[in-house]
């Protein structure tokens, strides 16, 4: 088994998903390479070389990979694929974007969002918003897998794997990058945070999300939201937790003014401890909460901030 | 311009699915089925492009058993012009679906294909990207805004870090995210009119696509159930329990 892991990064920082994917890959085999595709991403490659279990880091450092456009990355990965039995990428918006393209170019299936490895060809993945868990077996010679990073622990960082530059340039005329509006925040990223406090429609407006700030500061928490809060324009889309947003599994998840629709639960029900704050004692979120507090969030949030 | 919109018949999003006792699959007997919500957003976007005078024809395509025609009719009632039903009773994977859709792309030569980003049953999020690869087209996935320009489409995408805009040369593939639009409801007169719109049926096995899947479903289980439901009386009890019982805060 030889495994290629696509590194999750933004050209400057290696994201926490990658070490978790290495851990997943170790359950498949021991020959593990990491591909860093980007532009001026040498630091990312150095960080990837530190992950225990990595044999080699391959770096495709070229301006055509600056924005990791699916068209370029898929054709690069697809060319490299001939040397591997498995290709893994995190089930982030980057991995979800280019990996199915790789699978189709290589005429194999993709298995999305795996949460466990049973064997080199058998994997476990949630379907129906996590209301059912499927075990599937692939007979393809090349397995293309996206991985739900939150389901795996991170590999240690005590390695010094060799870094090798690869000189493959895959450009295209089909698609080009125009611009990006990235959310800048001092807080931890949702998918990497130990504590998350999320607001829903009950927050009533975007200004009221400030009530979560003081608590998040004290807990070192990331701030998330339900779809209803994003749709209503209270907060940006990258804060959405759920089936079709970010999937998180922090130690502590505090849901404030969120009813607990199955699509929201799909994104957070694997959190270790769940707290629900809601004025409706019948709200479904209480059924999965370890600690439910019934009451008006506008009274409770200031009290909670003071008590921490 | 011609727009192709593939739609999937899927469990209604309000239904919580149950797993069969023998763990062979989920139980869909007598369960309400609808157009997958993301496909509905794709249909709506195509209709808006037609209303804006940009699109001239909207072709709806669905793959599956005969009952899929219900979803095609719904999409026609919303504003699609004609339908194509690719008939099969097999449970196909995204790759086979993408290959079948590719045959439709070759035949119909649409300028734009708009699909849902994922189906809420398999949660795969693959078909649009695979179709883009097979058709050698650019892809704008997870779209929250689509602006058609001359020979180009600008797609604003919802990504983990915020928003990203890409430009694709036409023909191109777009997959929809939740914020792209809010789908309309079909009016009764339009539902009646849709019954007379043409729907062509093509047998999937007549399309020279290998339909066998390389992925076998071994079993389907219910997820581990959380034991929740405990309540605390006030903020002080909550904080105390988080500190001493759950030990998740300092
Ligand atoms: C295809 C599809 C995909 C979806 N994907 C997602 C997803 O990824 N993530 C997601 O979150 N949703 C998703 N949804 C939407 C989901 O079905 C729900 O509509 C949404 O989660 C509801 O958000 P909410 O709980 O904030 O709002 P509501 O359901 O309106 O709940 C608001 C809650 O706030 C409480 N409340 C109001 N005022 C107060 C107050 N003063 N104090 C305390 N409590 C108060 C109310 O009692 C209520 O329980 C999806 C839906 C579809 C169809």
């Amino acid at each position: 088994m030889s495994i290629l892991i696509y590194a999750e990064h933004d050209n400057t920082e290696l994201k926490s998903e990658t070490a978790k994917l290495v851990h997943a890959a170790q359950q498949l085999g021991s020959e593990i390479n990491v591909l860093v595709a980007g532009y001026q991403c040498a630091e990312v490659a150095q960080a990837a070389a530190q992950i225990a279990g990595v044999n080699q880091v391959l770096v495709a450092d070229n301006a055509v990979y600056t924005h990791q456009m699916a068209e370029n990355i898929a054709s690069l990965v697809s060319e490299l694929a001939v040397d591997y039995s498995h290709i893994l990428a995190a089930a982030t918006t980057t991995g979800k974007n280019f990996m199915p393209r790789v699978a189709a170019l290589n005429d194999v299936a993709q298995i999305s969002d795996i949460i466990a490895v049973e064997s080199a060809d058998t994997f476990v993945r949630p379907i129906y918003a996590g209301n059912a868990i499927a075990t599937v077996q692939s007979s393809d010679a090349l397995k293309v897998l996206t991985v739900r990073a939150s389901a795996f622990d991170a590999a240690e960082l005590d390695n010094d794997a060799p870094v090798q530059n690869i000189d493959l340039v895959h450009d295209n005329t089909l698609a080009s990058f125009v611009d990006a509006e990235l959310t800048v925040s001092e807080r931890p990223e949702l998918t990497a945070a130990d504590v998350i406090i999320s607001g829903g429609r009950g927050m009533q407006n975007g200004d009221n999300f400030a009530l979560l700030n003081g608590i998040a500061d004290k807990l070192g928490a990331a701030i998330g939201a339900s779809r209803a809060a994003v749709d209503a324009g209270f907060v940006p889309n990258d804060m959405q937790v759920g089936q079709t947003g970010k999937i998180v599994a922090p130690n502590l998840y505090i849901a404030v003014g969120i009813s607990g629709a199955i699509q929201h639960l799909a994104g957070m029900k694997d959190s270790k401890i769940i707290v629900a704050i809601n004025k409706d004692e019948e709200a479904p979120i209480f059924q999965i909460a370890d600690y439910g507090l019934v009451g008006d969030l506008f009274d409770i949030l200031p009290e909670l901030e003071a008590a921490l | 311009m011609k727009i192709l919109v593939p739609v999937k018949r899927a469990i209604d999003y309000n239904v919580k699915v149950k797993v069969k006792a023998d763990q062979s699959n989920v139980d869909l007997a007598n369960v309400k089925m609808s157009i997958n919500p993301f496909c509905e957003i794709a249909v709506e976007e195509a209709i808006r492009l037609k209303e804006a005078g940009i699109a001239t024809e909207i072709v709806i395509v669905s793959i599956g058993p005969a009952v899929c025609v219900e979803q095609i009719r719904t999409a026609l009632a919303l504003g699609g012009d004609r339908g194509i039903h690719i008939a099969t009773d097999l449970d196909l994977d995204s790759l086979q679906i993408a290959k079948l859709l590719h045959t439709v792309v070759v035949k119909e030569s649409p300028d734009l294909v708009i699909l849902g980003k994922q189906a809420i049953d398999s949660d795969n999020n693959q078909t649009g990207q695979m179709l883009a690869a097979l058709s050698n087209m650019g892809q704008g996935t997870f779209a929250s805004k689509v602006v058609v320009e001359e020979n180009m489409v600008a797609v604003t995408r919802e990504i983990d870090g915020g928003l990203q805009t890409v430009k694709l040369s036409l023909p191109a593939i777009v997959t929809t995210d939740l914020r792209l639009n809010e789908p309309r409801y079909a009016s009764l007169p339009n539902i009646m009119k849709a019954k007379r719109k043409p729907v062509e049926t093509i047998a999937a096995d007549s399309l020279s696509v290998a339909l066998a899947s390389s992925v076998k479903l071994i079993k389907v289980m219910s997820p581990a159930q959380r034991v929740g439901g405990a309540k605390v009386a006030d903020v002080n009890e909550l904080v105390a329990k988080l500190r001493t019982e759950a030990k998740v805060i300092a």
Side-chain angles (χ1 to χ4, degrees):
Chain A
M1 302 295 127
S2 52
I3 302 134
L4 183 67
I5 295 176
Y6 185 84
E8 181 79 22
H9 71 94
D10 58 6
N11 291 324
T12 48
E13 194 191 348
L14 181 71
K15 304 288 178 181
S16 59
E17 283 86 357
T18 308
K20 297 179 179 177
L21 263 61
V22 172
H23 196 231
Q26 284 174 317
Q27 299 169 41
L28 296 164
S30 56
E31 215 176 291
I32 300 170
N33 289 357
V34 173
L35 169 66
V36 177
Y39 185 44
Q40 299 180 337
C41 51
E43 277 174 48
V44 176
Q46 285 311 324
Q50 289 170 26
I51 304 173
V54 173
N55 290 50
Q56 196 177 36
V57 178
L58 307 175
V59 191
D61 194 329
N62 191 289
V64 301
Y65 305 127
T66 310
H67 304 289
Q68 300 180 54
M69 298 282 288
E71 294 78 5
N72 299 347
I73 297 295
S75 86
L76 168 69
V77 174
S78 167
E79 181 180 339
L80 295 172
V82 291
D83 294 330
Y84 296 93
S85 58
H86 297 75
I87 299 183
L88 276 60
T92 56
T93 50
T94 306
K96 289 174 185 167
N97 192 31
F98 81 85
M99 284 288 268
R101 230 182 142 102
V102 173
L105 290 174
N106 291 283
D107 198 24
V108 296
Q110 171 176 304
I111 300 181
S112 296
D113 215 14
I114 64 162
I115 55 169
V117 172
E118 298 259 289
S119 72
D121 66 3
T122 306
F123 311 96
V124 181
R125 59 179 303 264
I127 53 176
Y128 292 88
N131 288 304
I133 307 291
T135 303
V136 295
Q137 184 175 32
S138 162
S139 58
D140 285 320
L142 171 70
K143 274 93 177 160
V144 173
L145 310 168
T146 63
V147 180
R148 181 176 293 189
S150 63
F152 295 89
D153 294 327
E156 304 283 316
L157 297 178
D158 56 6
N159 194 1
D160 186 17
V163 175
Q164 191 196 327
N165 284 302
I166 52 171
D167 213 9
L168 299 173
V169 181
H170 287 261
D171 205 355
N172 82 94
T173 54
L174 304 170
S176 58
F177 172 84
V178 179
D179 58 29
E181 253 174 74
L182 301 180
T183 307
V184 197
S185 167
E186 297 293 302
R187 299 192 188 286
E189 288 185 27
L190 269 174
T191 46
D194 283 333
V195 180
I196 295 174
I197 182 163
S198 289
R201 201 197 309 268
M203 298 299 293
Q204 290 179 5
N205 58 49
D207 292 340
N208 288 337
F209 263 74
L211 292 168
L212 305 179
N213 284 340
I215 299 169
D217 287 343
K218 287 191 167 167
L219 296 175
I223 299 183
S226 70
R227 172 190 175 181
V230 177
D231 281 6
F234 301 172
V235 292
N237 64 279
D238 51 271
M239 287 170 65
Q240 180 180 316
V241 170
Q243 178 186 18
T244 57
K246 287 184 181 146
I247 313 270
V248 299
N251 279 331
L252 173 60
Y253 188 93
I254 308 175
V256 184
I258 291 177
S259 61
I262 52 174
Q263 294 88 1
H264 188 79
L265 303 189
M268 44 66 79
K269 72 179 162 55
D270 293 325
S271 305
K272 188 165 160 243
I273 297 290
I274 295 173
V275 171
I277 299 171
N278 197 304
K279 69 176 180 190
D280 170 13
E281 64 177 319
E282 302 293 323
I285 189 81
F286 286 123
Q287 292 164 22
I288 62 142
D290 300 281
Y291 303 108
L293 182 50
V294 180
D296 192 317
L297 66 92
F298 295 102
D299 299 329
I300 292 171
L301 289 175
E303 277 182 51
L304 179 60
E305 184 180 339
L308 288 169
Chain B
M1 88 187 291
K2 187 199 268 191
I3 304 183
L4 183 69
V5 185
V7 299
K8 182 173 186 182
R9 176 183 169 91
I11 191 168
D12 187 86
Y13 80 95
N14 283 307
V15 179
K16 189 170 171 187
V17 78
K18 296 240 158 51
V19 170
K20 285 185 187 168
D22 67 1
Q23 298 193 337
S24 60
N25 209 329
V26 296
D27 191 355
L28 293 180
N30 304 316
V31 163
K32 184 176 179 215
M33 304 294 277
S34 298
I35 296 185
N36 174 49
F38 288 98
C39 304
E40 223 174 356
I41 296 172
V43 173
E44 176 68 30
E45 195 63 16
I47 298 168
R48 290 188 189 189
L49 286 168
K50 194 173 173 197
E51 287 170 345
I54 295 166
T56 47
E57 190 186 23
I58 301 170
V59 182
I60 306 294
V61 51
S62 191
I63 301 171
V67 281
C68 290
V69 174
E70 285 172 25
Q71 278 64 46
I72 295 178
R73 292 282 171 207
T74 306
L76 296 178
L78 291 166
D81 294 300
R82 63 186 167 91
I84 300 173
H85 171 223
I86 300 184
T88 174
D89 287 329
L90 296 171
D91 219 351
L92 300 179
D93 256 337
S94 304
L95 182 64
Q96 282 71 42
I97 297 287
K99 286 181 178 178
L100 290 170
L101 291 176
H102 178 59
T103 67
V104 180
V105 167
V106 169
K107 184 163 160 234
E108 296 281 341
S109 305
D111 302 283
L112 200 56
V113 186
I114 312 180
L115 308 86
K117 77 166 179 180
Q118 87 191 57
I120 60 166
D121 46 13
S122 67
D123 280 333
N124 268 340
N125 197 331
Q126 299 176 3
T127 305
Q129 297 89 315
M130 287 180 161
L131 180 61
L134 298 174
S135 312
N136 192 31
M137 290 182 197
Q139 65 186 52
T141 53
F142 328 143
S144 65
K145 194 171 159 201
V146 172
V147 181
V148 176
E149 298 161 21
E150 211 181 326
N151 297 322
M152 299 274 255
V153 58
V155 180
T156 301
R157 310 178 50 234
E158 294 200 355
I159 59 170
D160 289 340
L163 295 170
Q164 181 194 63
T165 302
V166 295
K167 253 190 196 180
L168 314 171
S169 55
L170 296 177
I173 306 283
V174 170
T175 78
T176 62
D177 216 318
L178 295 168
R179 255 70 60 180
L180 184 57
N181 60 51
E182 228 174 284
R184 69 193 67 192
Y185 295 96
S187 68
L188 200 54
N190 286 344
I191 293 172
M192 299 314 288
K193 263 195 264 169
K195 294 191 172 148
R196 292 192 301 275
K197 290 186 180 176
V199 177
E200 177 192 3
T201 295
I202 304 171
D205 52 20
S206 72
L207 290 171
S208 319
V209 170
L211 298 176
S213 166
S214 56
V215 180
K216 197 165 93 189
L217 186 61
I218 307 281
K219 66 174 175 192
V220 175
M221 295 190 307
S222 293
Q225 293 302 320
R226 279 192 85 94
V227 229
K231 298 257 169 57
V232 290
D234 54 29
V235 166
N236 287 336
E237 187 187 346
L238 174 65
V239 172
K241 290 214 154 137
L242 290 176
R243 283 206 176 110
T244 54
E245 193 175 85
K247 299 191 171 67
V248 285
I249 62 173

